[in-house]
Amino acid sequence: MNAWPPRSPLAELTPAEVRLVSAAKAVRERAYAPYSKFRVGAAIETEHGGVFTGANVENASYGATVCAERAAIFCMVAAGEHNVTRVAVYAEGPELSMPCGMCRQVLIEHAPKAEVIVAGPSGHRKTTLAALMPEPFVFEGAE
Ligand code: THU
């Protein structure tokens, strides 16, 4: 796996991808994670080139915690955007931190064709949201 940040021009990330992961890494510093101590940053890029970031916000009532990915999506929607082209997630742990199931469900509604880059200090992985969330719940109305 390539080291992060990639040092070699042969690293498989484009400059735009590196910028998005860097934004996720930077916003991670602002995570509020006093309970798990596991800080996560997410950055999403929209069809119009906008970049929105989010960090996990935990709560003493644990279930009220919001993940970084959803925080970024909420920020984007509040800004009036909807179509995500790329998602970057940055966390530091023994393994790359993949988006949780709830975040995949929320992401796919706004990012069905998005590329996903998951990164950490020792490397990164590129995939797609379609691969991570093959059969999402879709609400088509009752009856
Ligand atoms: N977390 C995220 O921010 N994103 C995910 O996709 C999975 C988990 C956060 C939530 C919680 O604050 C911490 O990681 C530990 O679960």
Side-chain angles (χ1 to χ4, degrees), residues 32-33 36 38 40 56-58 65-69 97-100 103:
Y32 177 75
S36 74
F38 188 70
V40 185
N56 54 327
V57 179
E58 298 185 345
T65 292
V66 175
C67 296
E69 296 90 326
S97 180
M98 303 303 291
C100 77
C103 287

Side-chain angles (χ1 to χ4, degrees), residues 54-123:
N56 54 327
V57 179
E58 298 185 345
N59 191 269
S61 176
Y62 293 177
T65 292
V66 175
C67 296
E69 296 90 326
R70 278 177 292 140
I73 285 282
F74 299 159
C75 181
M76 175 196 75
V77 170
E81 290 239 42
H82 286 280
N83 295 320
V84 179
T85 50
R86 194 176 279 141
V87 178
V89 180
Y90 186 94
E92 298 193 354
E95 304 286 336
L96 290 175
S97 180
M98 303 303 291
C100 77
M102 193 183 284
C103 287
R104 292 179 197 202
Q105 174 70 35
V106 171
L107 282 166
I108 202 150
E109 197 150 319
H110 304 275
K113 296 192 178 139
E115 172 203 343
V116 178
I117 307 153
V118 183
S122 61

